[in-house]
Amino acid sequence: MQQLYPHTGKAHVIGITGPPGAGKSTLTDKLAKNYRQQGKTVGIVAVDPTSPFSGGAILGDRIRMNELTLDPGVFIRSMGTRGSLGGLSRKTADTVKILDASGKDVIFIETVGVGQSEVDIVKAADTTVVVLVPGLGDDIQAIKAGILEIGDIFAINKADREGVERLNTEIEMMLDLNQSSVDWRPRVFRTVASRSTGVDELIAGIDEHIDYLNRSEELSKRRIQRTKNELLALLEEQIGRHVLSKITSTGKLDAMVLSIEQREKDPYTLVSELLASFLR
Amino acid sequence: MQQLYPHTGKAHVIGITGPPGAGKSTLTDKLAKNYRQQGKTVGIVAVDPTSPFSGGAILGDRIRMNELTLDPGVFIRSMGTRGSLGGLSRKTADTVKILDASGKDVIFIETVGVGQSEVDIVKAADTTVVVLVPGLGDDIQAIKAGILEIGDIFAINKADREGVERLNTEIEMMLDLNQSSVDWRPRVFRTVASRSTGVDELIAGIDEHIDYLNRSEELSKRRIQRTKNELLALLEEQIGRHVLSKITSTGKLDAMVLSIEQREKDPYTLVSELLASFLR
């Protein structure tokens, strides 16, 4: 990663996020094909936050994208969280950097966007497309509220379904209420990814956002903020690893845990004591 | 928390997790009412991983549970991730401890279970109920695979919908393939929470799991593992906070970020240098 780093920063990174069942994989597939037809090379990082346990879903994604996998101009990497202990957003960012350094023009990060870790993952993107779908019930309200502020572009997929007008109105209303960026008003598109409907228009919307990022100071601002977050996360992870190996190597961890479990000590006091012994 | 800690460890903690739209809040509501009728006091920690941005969903949960909020034997705490920087699972665990120390007999942790952070949250529970629902489309496969191993009990909610038999068979098949615990075979229940159908049976299943936990060494094993994880997470968080405050107080952070962004330095080398300066 040290050697790759100087070669990064050239690709445009597009985040694709949304609730389960929104058709993110299919839409990413169609967007990737469209960019390929424009002669651009494409990387796809498909993050599956549920695979820590089984790994089963990864195969599904690979199968779904099999047309693309035959194209040497496309590189697809599926990632799960197995053993990552919360470091998934950093690993995703590293994978994006590798694809970036390898010369991919456009890189997609695709993830189910309903939890904090998924939101963190998408923060590695320059442009974030939030994919929603009509008629997902009550919790969709919560999801919409949660990912509203990370969406640069909204795609209402499966737009041939009932409820598309209502969802469109709701999103527009929320965008009106929630103007975090003065310069960019997120746009809402309708797609039916399975039939490639609306994909050209969505690509035009993404291009428009890229133009905006380049024209304004926004791209540089976003990338500096991202670098800052990545630096701090990396630092925290490395320190955590160091301390963990120290504690476990002394063999004292089990005794500590037992004394806490038996309520002889409390974890808060114990951590204060440990901190003093590790830090300058 | 130091003073509360000796008074914890008495409540039974029940995790309720599942995909958006599964009806977790309604089911938690009905379960809580049932325990209240048995004379038990109830705590509910409703974790909303999407509220870091808007906070909007929290109100929805409160309104949904308004019957319960009038009952002095019930305490409900809604939590978002605002400003928590990944520490949500610890904050949830702390909230559970406070309710535990306050004397609540049963404590529910309710969260949308599709991401790693949500899975971490539910690890604070003694018994985890995974709520699924028929007909949520393709991604449900991924979700099922992901939460299969954390479920002690499965509830198929909205079981009056089409597809309930197929989902039931799928879950049973996966449970057959995936016998992580030799002693406890997760049971599958069907509920229609909105009409209180199947809630008594689900409670009986939870009681059966509590009996199993108490009979076997499993409860003690789980709690020791949990204490270990909590200790390490707390340590990591405290160290991270300490280091962050040191770096930002020196005022060097912005200069570092800029040199990385301009590819003069890479973050990996920089972190190695910083580590050496902080740790004994």
Side-chain angles (χ1 to χ4, degrees):
Chain A
M1 291 307 300
Q2 287 175 329
Q3 290 175 306
L4 281 173
Y5 195 78
H7 305 283
T8 61
K10 294 178 199 101
H12 192 77
V13 185
I14 303 172
I16 306 282
T17 189
K24 293 174 295 295
S25 294
T26 311
L27 191 60
T28 305
D29 191 359
K30 302 293 171 152
L31 290 171
K33 273 181 197 150
N34 196 308
Y35 280 117
R36 286 298 295 140
Q37 281 158 11
Q38 298 176 32
K40 289 178 180 167
T41 54
V42 172
I44 299 175
V45 187
V47 185
D48 177 358
T50 59
S51 49
F53 303 104
S54 72
I58 289 173
L59 190 62
D61 273 340
R62 286 226 174 107
I63 290 167
R64 213 165 355 171
M65 292 203 213
N66 61 356
E67 260 186 87
L68 286 174
T69 54
L70 298 172
D71 179 347
V74 176
F75 191 95
I76 304 176
R77 176 80 169 102
S78 290
M79 302 184 72
T81 51
R82 188 183 289 272
S84 79
L85 290 168
L88 185 61
S89 56
R90 196 179 69 71
K91 278 180 190 158
T92 308
D94 280 353
T95 307
V96 168
K97 285 198 191 80
I98 293 168
L99 291 171
D100 186 351
S102 84
K104 293 282 176 281
D105 299 310
V106 178
I107 299 166
F108 290 97
I109 306 174
E110 183 203 319
T111 185
V112 174
V114 285
Q116 186 56 43
S117 50
E118 292 67 49
V119 168
D120 288 343
I121 288 164
V122 164
K123 281 183 183 161
D126 299 316
T127 299
T128 296
V129 180
V130 171
V131 186
L132 295 170
V133 67
L136 264 194
D138 281 356
D139 281 309
I140 193 74
Q141 288 295 342
I143 290 166
K144 279 187 300 197
I147 51 189
L148 192 71
E149 286 181 35
I150 60 165
D152 300 306
I153 287 167
F154 289 81
I156 303 179
N157 195 29
K158 306 186 184 178
D160 50 354
R161 282 197 190 171
E162 208 182 326
V164 61
E165 292 295 342
R166 205 186 115 207
L167 180 58
N168 202 333
T169 309
E170 280 173 5
I171 298 168
E172 292 285 0
M173 272 174 59
M174 282 198 286
L175 291 173
D176 285 338
L177 287 169
N178 188 75
Q179 289 280 11
S180 54
S181 165
V182 242
D183 302 322
W184 175 260
R185 168 59 154 83
R187 288 188 59 192
V188 184
F189 293 89
R190 298 182 187 188
T191 57
V192 185
S194 58
R195 295 201 309 257
S196 302
T197 308
V199 172
D200 288 346
E201 291 80 358
L202 181 57
I203 293 256
I206 293 170
D207 287 345
E208 201 186 320
H209 188 250
I210 296 175
D211 282 347
Y212 155 73
L213 288 175
N214 287 326
R215 240 183 14 246
S216 64
E217 301 280 280
E218 191 60 25
L219 187 63
S220 149
K221 253 198 283 183
R222 282 189 185 201
R223 289 192 169 179
I224 284 175
Q225 186 57 46
R226 193 191 306 161
T227 299
K228 190 185 270 189
N229 292 342
E230 282 177 10
L231 182 67
L232 295 174
L234 187 62
L235 192 61
E236 223 170 283
E237 191 196 279
Q238 295 288 333
I239 291 176
R241 192 178 294 174
H242 174 89
V243 168
L244 185 59
S245 75
K246 279 259 180 136
I247 294 182
T248 46
S249 70
T250 60
K252 282 182 193 160
L253 184 61
D254 286 343
M256 283 180 198
V257 168
L258 211 66
S259 75
I260 295 171
E261 193 47 34
Q262 290 168 351
R263 267 76 188 167
E264 292 164 8
K265 281 229 171 190
D266 71 90
Y268 311 92
T269 308
L270 213 56
V271 162
S272 300
E273 291 171 10
L274 281 169
L275 265 185
S277 73
F278 281 117
L279 297 169
R280 285 186 210 276
Chain B
M1 289 308 300
Q2 288 175 329
Q3 291 176 305
L4 280 174
Y5 194 79
H7 304 284
T8 61
K10 294 179 198 100
H12 192 78
V13 185
I14 302 171
I16 307 283
T17 189
K24 294 174 294 297
S25 293
T26 312
L27 191 61
T28 305
D29 192 358
K30 301 293 171 152
L31 290 170
K33 273 180 197 152
N34 196 308
Y35 280 117
R36 287 298 295 138
Q37 281 157 11
Q38 298 175 32
K40 289 177 178 166
T41 52
V42 172
I44 299 174
V45 187
V47 185
D48 176 358
T50 57
S51 47
F53 303 104
S54 72
I58 289 173
L59 190 63
D61 274 339
R62 287 228 174 106
I63 290 167
R64 212 165 356 171
M65 293 202 212
N66 62 355
E67 260 186 88
L68 287 174
T69 53
L70 297 172
D71 178 349
V74 176
F75 192 95
I76 304 176
R77 176 79 168 105
S78 291
M79 302 184 72
T81 51
R82 186 184 289 273
S84 78
L85 291 168
L88 186 61
S89 55
R90 196 178 71 68
K91 277 179 190 160
T92 308
D94 280 353
T95 308
V96 168
K97 286 197 190 79
I98 294 168
L99 291 171
D100 186 352
S102 84
K104 292 283 177 277
D105 300 310
V106 178
I107 299 165
F108 290 97
I109 307 174
E110 183 203 318
T111 184
V112 175
V114 284
Q116 185 57 43
S117 52
E118 291 69 47
V119 169
D120 288 344
I121 288 164
V122 164
K123 281 184 184 160
D126 299 315
T127 300
T128 297
V129 180
V130 171
V131 186
L132 296 170
V133 68
L136 265 193
D138 281 355
D139 281 309
I140 191 76
Q141 287 295 344
I143 289 167
K144 278 188 301 195
I147 52 189
L148 193 70
E149 287 181 36
I150 60 165
D152 300 305
I153 289 168
F154 289 81
I156 303 179
N157 195 31
K158 306 186 184 178
D160 49 353
R161 282 197 189 170
E162 209 182 326
V164 62
E165 293 294 343
R166 205 185 115 208
L167 179 59
N168 203 332
T169 308
E170 281 174 3
I171 297 169
E172 293 285 0
M173 273 175 58
M174 282 200 284
L175 290 173
D176 286 339
L177 287 170
N178 187 76
Q179 289 279 11
S180 56
S181 164
V182 242
D183 302 321
W184 176 260
R185 168 58 153 80
R187 288 187 60 191
V188 184
F189 293 88
R190 297 182 187 189
T191 57
V192 185
S194 58
R195 294 202 310 258
S196 301
T197 307
V199 173
D200 289 345
E201 291 80 358
L202 181 58
I203 293 257
I206 293 170
D207 287 344
E208 203 187 320
H209 188 251
I210 295 175
D211 281 346
Y212 156 74
L213 288 175
N214 287 327
R215 242 182 12 245
S216 64
E217 301 280 280
E218 191 59 24
L219 186 62
S220 149
K221 253 198 284 184
R222 282 188 186 200
R223 290 191 169 179
I224 284 175
Q225 186 56 48
R226 192 190 309 160
T227 298
K228 190 185 273 187
N229 292 343
E230 282 177 11
L231 182 66
L232 294 175
L234 188 61
L235 193 60
E236 222 170 282
E237 191 196 279
Q238 295 289 334
I239 291 175
R241 191 176 297 172
H242 174 89
V243 168
L244 185 60
S245 76
K246 280 259 177 134
I247 294 181
T248 45
S249 72
T250 60
K252 283 182 195 160
L253 184 60
D254 286 344
M256 284 180 199
V257 168
L258 212 65
S259 74
I260 296 172
E261 193 45 36
Q262 290 166 352
R263 268 73 187 170
E264 294 164 4
K265 281 228 171 191
D266 70 271
Y268 311 91
T269 308
L270 213 55
V271 162
S272 300
E273 292 170 9
L274 279 169
L275 265 185
S277 73
F278 280 118
L279 297 170
R280 284 186 209 279

